[in-house]
Amino acid sequence: MLRDRTVAFICLLLTGLIWSTPITFFDTEFEGVDNDRMEWSCPRPILSPSPDSVDLDVVRAELAETSDGTVQSEHPQCRLLNGTQLVLGLFSLAGAIWKGRLWWQSTADARAEKKFARLQASTSGKPKGMLN
């Protein structure tokens, strides 16, 4: 069984990973687009939550102009994928906040006892100041 703080940390780690990692592998086929000559990419979801849409006619024209090498372009589905990644990151962040709050509440008594013990240990029991 995982502790609440461990789950909260894992959820925070997943949130950062989801929001900062762009999707780079695509296996979709488009008519008139040779995937062997294409280098599809997507921007980072946190930096570009709603990227510009990609016109496949422009991509086809670039492919026709260059006979050798590869053509780099954003994938037409990036707009939907980045939004999906942002929503997944929000769910993960909500889970981290929820589990972190549960952990904070469950350890409140232990923190209060430590604080009370620290306050009591620092006094000598003798009056100080003007009471001498």
Side-chain angles (χ1 to χ4, degrees):
M1 178 139 204
L2 293 174
R3 294 181 178 180
D4 287 339
R5 67 178 178 201
T6 305
V7 174
F9 176 74
I10 290 171
C11 286
L12 277 177
L13 186 70
L14 283 174
T15 300
L17 188 66
I18 290 169
W19 282 351
S20 65
T21 307
I23 295 176
T24 57
F25 177 74
F26 298 99
D27 194 27
T28 52
E29 297 284 332
F30 295 107
E31 185 179 333
V33 177
D34 184 16
N35 275 342
D36 296 334
R37 293 183 47 213
M38 287 300 302
E39 247 183 70
W40 298 113
S41 66
C42 272
R44 294 180 189 265
I46 197 71
L47 299 177
S48 181
S50 181
D52 296 332
S53 59
V54 176
D55 188 10
L56 285 175
D57 292 331
V58 173
V59 172
R60 289 183 188 109
E62 286 181 33
L63 277 172
E65 288 174 4
T66 59
S67 59
D68 301 352
T70 61
V71 175
Q72 296 179 351
S73 175
E74 287 186 2
H75 198 273
Q77 294 174 345
C78 284
R79 191 175 182 98
L80 177 66
L81 291 173
N82 279 13
T84 303
Q85 277 184 282
L86 282 176
V87 170
L88 286 174
L90 284 175
F91 283 143
S92 179
L93 182 64
I97 291 170
W98 177 60
K99 280 304 209 181
R101 184 172 179 264
L102 288 177
W103 168 68
W104 190 257
Q105 288 175 341
S106 69
T107 60
D109 289 341
R111 285 193 315 275
E113 287 176 13
K114 283 182 185 178
K115 184 177 180 181
F116 182 75
R118 250 190 342 262
L119 289 173
Q120 295 303 315
S122 64
T123 61
S124 64
K126 297 179 182 175
K128 295 180 180 176
M130 293 177 54
L131 298 175
N132 288 352

